[in-house]
Amino acid sequence: MLRLEVVRGQAVGAVVEASAEIVRIGRAEGNDLLVPDTHVSSEHAKVVWTGEKYVLVDQRSTNGTAILRGAERIALDDTTSREAQLLDGDVIELGTQDRIVHLSVSIRDDADDAKVFALKRIEELLPHATIVEKDDGRLRKLYDGLKRIDAAQDLSEVLEEICHASFSLVPLATHATIVLRDDEEEGARPTAASGYVAVLTRVRDQDAPPSTPIPITRSVFRKVISERAAVVAADAPRDVGQSESLMGAEIRSTLGIPLWKGEEILGVIQLDNRTSNGVLTSHDLEVMAVLAQNASLAVANARLVKRLRAAEERLRKENAFLKGREQERRTGAKSAGQVEIIGQSQPMRHMLQQLDKVVDTRVTVLIEGETGAGKELVASYVHYKSRRADKLFVGQNCAAMPETLLESELFGHKKGAFTGAHEDKKGLFEIADEGTLFLDEVTEMPISLQSKLLRALQEGEVRPIGATTEKKVNVRIVAATNRNLEKEVAEGRFREDLYYRLKVFPVRVPPLRERRDDIPLMAEHFLLRFSSEFGKPAAGFSQQAMELLQGYDWPGNVRELQNEIQRLVIQIDAGGFVTPDLLSPRVRQVEGMIERVKPRKGTLKEMMDQVERWLLIEALREHQNNKTAAAKSLGITREGLHKKLRAFGL
C-alpha cells in the first residue's frame, strides 16, 4: 500500500492511498494526486508498482522532480533515466528553488509471506502438465480455446478469448483478471519503471465488465512475479496472510498464472472463486499452465502488431507532414498538392506547356538553366503534377559531396563496407522508390560514378556499396544543370551514353531578364510572403521602384530577386511603400542609365532618334567598336548598322 501526503505546497494535507499499480501526480484533472501549484506540470510524475518495488518516474516535467532521502537528494534527470526507486520515508520534491511541493511517502507491505497451497515455477510447469492428457474433455476445451486465441485479430480480442478459455477450463472460477506490463507508453522494451496494470476483468456468464473494479490479489501477484511461478491459494484469506486486497474481495481461493516470453514476465492471469465453497486446485494450475504458454505467445505477438501498426501510422503521418513541409519550402505553396510557378510571360507559358506533356510519363527530364533560375522548383512541379505526387520527392546536389560520400548517399551501403559504415544505410534511390529523385548539378558527378548512375537508369537496379546483389527500384529521374552538356561531353567530362539517357526531354528555364513581364508578379509575391513571415505589412512598390526592378538584368535570377525583396521588407516601415532609395546600389544603377538615355523635349521623331543614337553608341562601346558584334547584339545586320551610323554622322 502506497500513501502520499502533500506536506508543502498549496494542497497541504491532501492524501492519496492506493494499491493501484500506477499513481499519477500533476496539475491537470484526471491525476490520482491533484497538485494545483502553477510550477507543477500538468502530468508531472508517476509512481509505478513494478511487481517488486515502487519507482518514481519524472514525466519530462518543466521544473524537475527529485527524491529527498535524509541528507541525500536524488534528481530525476537524464543521468538517472528520470526514474528511481521509492523507499518508505522518502520525500518527493516537485519543482525547483523556492517554488517546490513536498510529498511524504509511506509504503506499507499489505501481505505477509504467502503460505500457498501450490506453487510451480515456469520451468516446472509444462513437464508435469499430465492432467490434460488424462482428461479428454479438458483437452478438447483447451484445443478450442487455443484455436480461438490464435484467430483473434488484436490484443483486446486475444485477452477476451483468454478469459473465455479460462472459464471453460476452470469450472470453479467466477472472475478472471488479466494484468499486463505497462510498456506501451514508449512503445519500446520495458524499463525498470514499467509497472503492471489490470487491463481486463470478466465475470462468468456476464458479457459486460463488472460494475466495480476487481482488485488484484497483491500477495499472490507478488509471488507470481518474484518467484516466476504459478500459484494456487486455497481459502485465500487464511493461506495468503490476511492481505487487505484478499479480505476486501472475500476471495475463497485464487490462482495466479504468469504470461511469459523468455526471461520476461509479460503479465499475470488471475482466476478467483468468490461464490463456491470449492477451491481451485493444482489440477487447475496445470491446465492453465498449458493455456498460458500458448496465450503468452499470442499476447506478445498482439502487442508487437499493435506497436507496428502504431509505428506505421506515425510514420505515415510524419511522411505526409514532411512531404507537405518540404513541398512548401521548395515551392512557396500554402498546402500540399499545390505547386506554384509564377509567370505569365510567353517564355514561361511555353515552358509549362512542355512540362504538362511529360509529367505523367516515366521519361527522364533534363532541366537546363542559369543558377538561381528556379530549376528545383520546376523539378518539384514535374513531381507534384504527376501520378507520383503522393510519393516522396527527394533531391540531391551532386556538387555538394565528395565522390565516396555521394555514392553512399545515392546508392546506400552495407554495414562494414568501409571505415565508418557502422550500420546498413538506404540510398536515395531506395528512399525515393515509386517517387522522384532530383539530381541537381548532375554535370558535377564524377565520371566513375556516372557509369553506376547509367546502370540505374537503364536497368532500374541499384547495388549498395558492399552488397552482392542488386535491388529493383522504380524511380523517376529529374536532372538539372547550369552548364552546356554538349560541351561537357565534347571535353570528356561527361559520359556520352549518360548524356543521351538524361537528355530525353530537355526543358530550358528562361532567365529572369528574358521574362521581365513576370518581375512585377514575382516581386509582389515575395513581398507578400516576407511581409507575412516577418509580421511587417507593406503597402507595395512605388512606380519608379518597380521600373528599376524591371530594368535590372538580375544575373542571379529569381534567387537574387527573392533576396532583394527580403532585404527590402526588413528595411521598410510597417505599412510603407518600397521606394527607389531602398533598393540595392546595383539595382539603382539602372536609374542612372535611364537618366542618360532620357531624350530632350522635341517631336516624337527627334526624341526617338536621340534614343536610337544613344543605343548605337552604347553597343559600340560595349563591344570595343567591333561593328559585327555590336550589330549582332542589336539584332541587325552589319550593313544595317553602317547605314544607321552614317545617318547619325557617327
Side-chain angles (χ1 to χ4, degrees), residues 512 515-523 546 549-550 554 561:
L512 196 54
R515 50 189 184 105
R516 296 181 188 273
D517 292 346
D518 292 332
I519 291 177
L521 294 175
M522 302 183 73
M546 183 57 72
L549 291 175
Q550 285 186 275
W554 299 107
L561 175 62

Side-chain angles (χ1 to χ4, degrees), residues 235-430:
D235 293 326
R238 183 183 69 253
D239 291 344
V240 187
Q242 303 289 336
S243 74
E244 180 178 321
S245 57
L246 287 171
M247 293 293 288
E250 298 180 354
I251 299 174
R252 295 176 180 273
S253 60
T254 190
L255 168 62
I257 300 289
L259 296 167
W260 73 95
K261 180 183 178 183
E263 296 299 313
E264 179 187 353
I265 301 296
L266 302 175
V268 176
I269 305 173
Q270 176 180 300
L271 299 182
D272 302 325
N273 171 15
R274 304 191 180 201
T275 58
S276 173
N277 290 325
V279 294
L280 304 179
T281 67
S282 59
H283 291 170
D284 297 322
L285 182 151
E286 290 184 5
V287 71
M288 284 299 297
V290 180
L291 176 73
Q293 184 192 36
N294 293 273
S296 297
L297 180 61
V299 169
N301 289 341
R303 297 195 88 161
L304 178 60
V305 169
K306 182 179 179 181
R307 289 180 192 148
L308 290 175
R309 287 175 177 169
E312 184 180 45
E313 179 64 16
R314 184 172 63 253
L315 289 174
R316 186 190 66 78
K317 291 180 179 178
E318 289 176 357
N319 188 28
F321 169 75
L322 291 174
K323 282 170 59 182
R325 188 175 67 176
E326 179 66 8
Q327 180 183 345
E328 182 173 341
R329 184 188 71 81
R330 294 177 185 275
T331 66
K334 297 303 180 184
S335 61
Q338 175 188 358
V339 178
E340 187 176 10
I341 294 183
I342 299 171
Q344 297 178 359
S345 61
Q346 179 58 35
M348 289 299 293
R349 289 201 301 269
H350 175 73
M351 185 195 72
L352 292 175
Q353 289 170 0
Q354 293 295 102
L355 290 176
D356 288 340
K357 295 175 182 177
V358 76
V359 290
D360 276 329
T361 69
R362 288 196 59 186
V363 171
T364 301
V365 177
L366 178 65
I367 304 172
E368 299 173 304
E370 297 178 3
T371 299
K375 297 186 292 295
E376 187 173 358
L377 175 62
V378 173
S380 65
Y381 179 93
V382 172
H383 173 76
Y384 289 110
K385 288 293 184 181
S386 72
R387 297 189 185 96
R388 298 173 181 257
D390 60 334
K391 305 299 181 181
L392 283 178
F393 175 77
V394 180
Q396 175 61 46
N397 189 320
C398 298
M401 287 186 175
E403 179 180 350
T404 52
L405 291 181
L406 181 59
E407 183 178 6
S408 172
E409 193 71 17
L410 291 177
F411 303 105
H413 63 250
K414 303 295 288 184
K415 181 179 179 180
F418 51 84
T419 302
H422 301 301
E423 57 185 14
D424 290 356
K425 176 185 176 181
K426 283 187 176 182
L428 296 182
F429 270 92
E430 283 189 78

Side-chain angles (χ1 to χ4, degrees), residues 392 394-396 410 428-429 432 435-439 475-479:
L392 283 178
V394 180
Q396 175 61 46
L410 291 177
L428 296 182
F429 270 92
T436 301
L437 176 58
F438 172 54
L439 300 177
V475 178
R476 205 265 181 82
I477 298 294
V478 178

Side-chain angles (χ1 to χ4, degrees), residues 55-129:
V55 176
L56 177 64
V57 183
D58 178 72
Q59 299 276 71
R60 296 279 173 183
S61 62
T62 303
N63 295 311
T65 306
I67 297 175
L68 306 181
R69 185 172 297 158
E72 183 183 9
R73 184 179 185 275
I74 305 170
L76 303 190
D77 50 27
D78 291 333
T79 61
T80 60
S81 300
R82 296 188 175 272
E83 59 184 52
Q85 181 179 356
L86 272 180
L87 301 178
D88 184 48
D90 284 347
V91 173
I92 299 174
E93 180 180 274
L94 310 178
T96 57
Q97 298 177 358
D98 59 335
R99 304 177 63 193
I100 55 176
V101 171
H102 282 167
L103 313 176
S104 67
V105 178
S106 298
I107 298 175
R108 177 168 52 86
D109 193 349
D110 62 355
D112 300 326
D113 291 338
K115 298 176 182 179
V116 299
F117 179 76
L119 182 150
K120 287 189 178 180
R121 290 177 174 81
I122 290 175
E123 299 78 16
E124 305 170 344
L125 288 174
L126 298 181
H128 300 89

